[in-house]
Amino acid sequence: MSSNPQHDLESSVDFIAEQNSEEFKQLRKTHRSFVFPMAVVFLLWYFAYVIMADYFHDFMSIKVWGNINMGIVLGLLQFVSTFAITAAYVHFSNNKLDPKAKKIRERLEKQGA
């Protein structure tokens, strides 16, 4: 027997069959149901900001408070939206993905034991 239990698990599990299992397909579908729409939303928001900065100078120059204009506010909101998306993904992953992945992992560990 090998001194590396991870190697033993890898040699005893059929990963192709696991990838084709309904449980794994459901995990992948759940992951994609969050990631793809969120990526599209973020990219649209990002490119909208770039286009506004390039073509809508008057709008982006509107003073909001002192020397702070719409361009700065929307630029800072890019950072805020990035952190919000990260927090939303962590919450989604903890509640939806991790329980499914844990179930698969535990089943695979039992198969390898």
Side-chain angles (χ1 to χ4, degrees), residues 34 38 42 45 74-92:
F34 181 89
M38 194 60 69
F42 180 77
W45 159 230
L74 293 176
L76 291 174
L77 285 175
Q78 290 283 318
F79 290 102
V80 172
S81 66
T82 299
F83 290 119
I85 289 169
T86 301
Y89 179 76
V90 167
H91 182 265
F92 178 81

Side-chain angles (χ1 to χ4, degrees), residues 8 29 31 53 55 57 59 61 63:
D8 292 340
K29 181 180 177 185
H31 177 260
Y55 294 107
H57 297 259
F59 174 73
S61 299
K63 299 278 186 187

Side-chain angles (χ1 to χ4, degrees), residues 45-46 48-80:
W45 159 230
Y46 173 76
Y49 174 75
V50 171
I51 290 168
M52 286 190 297
D54 195 29
Y55 294 107
F56 298 98
H57 297 259
D58 293 337
F59 174 73
M60 297 296 266
S61 299
I62 294 172
K63 299 278 186 187
V64 176
W65 182 67
N67 287 333
I68 309 288
N69 60 25
M70 286 301 293
I72 291 173
V73 170
L74 293 176
L76 291 174
L77 285 175
Q78 290 283 318
F79 290 102
V80 172

Side-chain angles (χ1 to χ4, degrees), residues 26-39 92 96-97 100:
Q26 185 61 37
L27 175 64
R28 189 171 44 208
K29 181 180 177 185
T30 304
H31 177 260
R32 289 177 178 174
S33 73
F34 181 89
V35 172
F36 289 147
M38 194 60 69
F92 178 81
K96 303 284 184 183
L97 299 178
K100 292 178 182 182

